[in-house]
Amino acid sequence: MKVIIDGEVRTLKAAWYEDGEVKLIDQRELPDKIKIFSAKNSDDIAYAIKNMVVRGAPAIGVTAAYGLAMASKNGEDMNKAKEKIRATRPTAYDLFKAIRYMEVNGYDMNAARRYAMEIEGRSKKIGELGNELIRNGAKILTHCNAGALAVLDWGTALSPMRIAHNEGKNIFVFVDETRPRLQGAKLTAWELAQEGIDHAIIADNAAGFYMRRKEIDLVIVGADRIASNGDFANKIGTYEKAVLAKVNGIPFYVAAPGSTFDFSIRSGDEIPIEERDENEVLEINGIRIGPNESHSKNPAFDVTPNEYVTGFITEYGIFKPNELNKLKDLMDKDLFMNIK
């Protein structure tokens, strides 16, 4: 991804392996500063995933792949390392896909690098296909962060926007702030600013206002797990945006690689939903905003039923929810994805 540091344009990835360590852009520090987190063992990898140093389903998967290869090189007990990493984030399916990929390939570092390159290349393809949905002058709403930070480069939901911008299309992006961790305001807006893409951060509750005024042409979001019927889990608040889009006649697209589709489950009812620390809701940047006597509930994701999805933008093409059997057939023929 393009990153401007001290006025100089550089290229960084969300995760990489270097000098015996897994390097991660510490997303907790953005947009204030770019800080690199170095993971030296599986404990560090588990910490980084659990505590949101790295986040976004594809990036979590890549980090797990690198982490298991590093653990193997370090002579760790692989069963313990694997289970430690597996227990970090229950909703993101890419995590479990990556672990299985590394099991099949013997925790080899070259396999981890290939996994990373595949995910990155597939995210670019998502952008190329999704770009066809974006007309010049389009106004797009997105929720949370499904950009390069959530993959390695390009992103999922942001990948079509990047390519549309690179082709000279004049687009505008409405960026939901995405409480409670403000991943839209802090991360998506930062990525768009680095690319020079015109955008505005809006309060989560403002999306309906702009939809009703016909100021939003389409919605593109990412996903953390997609069931075989097209129900999908994404950052909390996504379901509301999908319902609003349906009511207002606005196309609603989900951008995700094949690694995010879990064809072993029939519907969103089977997707485990992570419940995170209540202080994420009660505090902003460490400052408490609720009464000391109050508690909160903090589901990290919600499930959007397939009836609200216009289509899934994947590296294989764009599919309606009732066409996912075609996607599964393509994935079954893809040696990279077809890991049993």
Side-chain angles (χ1 to χ4, degrees):
M1 76 189 84
K2 183 192 295 184
V3 176
I4 302 172
I5 303 175
D6 297 329
E8 180 184 347
V9 177
R10 296 177 56 187
T11 299
L12 283 179
K13 298 187 188 300
W16 69 96
Y17 182 78
E18 180 183 339
D19 297 331
E21 300 176 351
V22 179
K23 306 288 188 179
L24 303 164
I25 295 177
D26 192 336
Q27 298 185 34
R28 302 170 302 178
E29 301 290 339
L30 294 172
D32 296 329
K33 59 183 176 181
I34 297 173
K35 182 178 178 181
I36 305 303
F37 179 94
S38 295
K40 300 177 176 62
N41 51 50
S42 61
D43 285 331
D44 292 344
I45 292 292
Y47 172 88
I49 296 173
K50 181 69 176 176
N51 292 281
M52 311 284 275
V53 173
V54 61
R55 27 95 14 231
I60 288 172
V62 169
T63 301
Y66 278 139
L68 288 173
M70 177 181 64
S72 179
K73 287 173 69 72
N74 292 345
E76 293 188 39
D77 182 314
M78 292 310 296
N79 285 329
K80 290 182 179 179
K82 183 174 59 179
E83 293 311 311
K84 193 185 309 174
I85 294 170
R86 189 195 301 276
T88 54
R89 305 289 306 274
T91 304
Y93 188 59
D94 291 68
L95 171 64
F96 307 99
K97 191 82 171 182
I99 290 172
R100 182 58 185 151
Y101 179 85
M102 294 305 292
E103 287 175 337
V104 169
N105 288 279
Y107 310 111
D108 181 74
M109 184 57 73
N110 288 331
R113 289 194 175 100
R114 183 189 170 213
Y115 186 90
M117 288 189 294
E118 285 277 358
I119 293 299
E120 183 178 343
R122 289 163 190 263
S123 71
K124 183 179 181 183
K125 186 65 176 178
I126 287 170
E128 292 168 349
L129 294 169
N131 174 44
E132 298 174 10
L133 301 170
I134 300 175
R135 63 170 177 80
N136 186 38
K139 295 180 179 180
I140 308 163
L141 174 75
T142 193
H143 187 69
C144 196
N145 174 262
L149 290 167
V151 186
L152 283 186
D153 204 353
W154 297 100
T156 53
L158 262 58
S159 187
M161 303 177 208
R162 276 191 160 89
I163 290 179
H165 175 73
N166 291 343
E167 287 191 357
K169 293 180 181 178
N170 180 28
I171 65 171
F172 183 88
V173 184
F174 287 90
V175 181
D176 285 342
E177 60 182 341
T178 319
R179 285 278 289 141
R181 294 186 64 92
L182 298 171
Q183 291 153 305
K186 290 186 174 184
L187 304 181
T188 296
W190 178 79
E191 286 196 41
L192 295 173
Q194 302 299 299
E195 295 282 347
I197 298 175
D198 200 11
H199 66 281
I201 299 166
I202 62 171
D204 287 339
N205 293 334
F209 172 82
Y210 290 106
M211 288 185 184
R212 190 169 182 273
R213 287 166 54 130
K214 310 299 182 186
E215 294 188 37
I216 293 173
D217 299 306
L218 74 161
V219 182
I220 307 178
V221 300
D224 286 80
R225 188 182 299 218
I226 304 167
S228 58
N229 72 337
D231 296 351
F232 76 99
N234 192 49
K235 183 57 59 181
I236 193 74
T238 302
Y239 175 40
E240 296 174 0
K241 305 306 182 293
V243 173
L244 283 168
K246 183 87 167 183
V247 169
N248 288 278
I250 298 169
F252 183 97
Y253 289 95
V254 180
S259 55
T260 305
F261 287 81
D262 183 358
F263 286 105
S264 72
I265 61 174
R266 292 169 294 179
S267 75
D269 293 337
E270 299 177 64
I271 298 176
I273 299 298
E274 177 184 3
E275 183 84 22
R276 292 188 61 81
D277 192 315
E278 67 171 7
N279 287 325
E280 291 182 348
V281 174
L282 295 172
E283 299 176 356
I284 295 180
N285 293 335
I287 299 174
R288 191 176 179 92
I289 59 173
N292 290 331
E293 299 82 7
S294 297
H295 294 279
S296 77
K297 292 185 179 295
N298 186 19
F301 307 94
D302 56 25
V303 173
T304 299
N306 58 28
E307 64 195 87
Y308 297 103
V309 179
T310 305
F312 293 93
I313 309 169
T314 77
E315 68 269 41
Y316 303 93
I318 301 174
F319 300 87
K320 297 178 181 178
N322 63 3
E323 297 175 327
L324 292 187
N325 60 318
K326 298 178 184 178
L327 172 62
K328 185 177 185 303
D329 288 342
L330 291 170
M331 287 178 57
D332 285 344
K333 297 172 184 176
D334 184 338
L335 294 178
F336 176 73
M337 286 295 175
N338 189 17
I339 303 167
K340 304 299 185 185

